[in-house]
């Protein structure tokens, strides 16, 4: 192989962003539901999303500041209320999820604009997406900000306080069968990928 080095400090911010998306790919998509302090709902997808730990269960989502350096509605709402839900995006809801990424004015409900159904929650107030087979209710632990200005990071670290699982995904032992979920993941540009069974494989962990 013949590799070329790129220094992000010398690159335009949009170019560095695009290169990062190529290197960290594919990425699962968190469909984040929040409420403003006045109770207005917001729903937005984010692919800067990962599991954080299991004791307690935690997840991290990073809504980047917009092109003007301003925080997204999701971050504003979570910092104000400390509550949110994350619904996992599958192939069946891909088109509506994509439409929900449109930058609607603050206070406009993506639920109504796109047509998702609000699912009940038990611990937090924001609804989950009923069309998603996997969802998590989350309480804010900490927000870590990294960098100033456009496209800078806001790591929202949250504790999972409830899971919601579609029973159709459960095998005879009560565990989720990953081949039934039909996950999609974000790549770079307008590219996505789909985790269908014929593209999935298992690798057993090495034993001592």
């Amino acid at each position: 192989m013949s590799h070329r080095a790129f220094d992000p400090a010398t690159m335009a911010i949009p170019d560095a962003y695009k290169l990062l998306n190529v290197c960290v790919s594919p990425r699962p998509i968190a469909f984040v539901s929040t409420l403003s302090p006045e109770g207005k709902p917001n729903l937005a997808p984010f692919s800067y999303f990962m599991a954080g730990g299991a004791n307690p269960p935690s997840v991290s989502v990073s809504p980047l500041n917009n092109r003007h350096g301003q925080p997204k509605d999701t971050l504003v709402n979570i910092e104000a209320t400390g509550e949110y839900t994350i619904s996992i995006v599958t192939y069946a809801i891909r088109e509506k999820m994509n439409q929900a990424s449109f930058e609607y004015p603050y206070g406009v409900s993506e639920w109504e604009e796109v047509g998702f159904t609000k699912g009940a929650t038990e611990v937090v107030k924001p609804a989950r997406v009923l069309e998603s087979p996997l969802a998590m209710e989350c309480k804010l632990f900490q927000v870590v900000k990294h960098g100033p200005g456009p496209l800078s990071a806001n790591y929202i670290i949250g504790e999972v306080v409830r899971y919601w699982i579609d029973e159709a995904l459960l095998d005879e032992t009560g565990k989720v069968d990953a081949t039934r979920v039909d996950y999609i993941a974000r790549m770079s540009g307008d590219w996505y990928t789909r985790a269908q069974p014929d593209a999935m494989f298992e690798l057993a962990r090495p034993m001592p």
Side-chain angles (χ1 to χ4, degrees), residues 20 22-23 42 51 70 72 76 83 87 105 109 111 117 139-140 144 182 187 197 200:
L20 178 64
V22 170
C23 291
N42 181 267
Q70 302 300 312
K72 301 280 182 68
V76 172
E83 296 185 341
S87 299
S109 173
W111 295 90
T117 308
K139 290 274 194 177
L140 175 64
V144 179
D182 206 10
M187 300 175 72
M200 301 169 68

Side-chain angles (χ1 to χ4, degrees), residues 32 34 42 46 61-65 70-82 140 142-145 152-156:
V32 183
T34 60
N42 181 267
F46 299 96
V61 180
S62 180
L64 306 186
N65 286 347
Q70 302 300 312
K72 301 280 182 68
D73 295 349
T74 296
L75 176 62
V76 172
N77 290 347
I78 291 175
E79 288 187 311
T81 67
L140 175 64
Q142 186 178 2
V143 175
V144 179
K145 300 179 187 293
S152 59
N154 302 282
Y155 297 98
I156 300 171

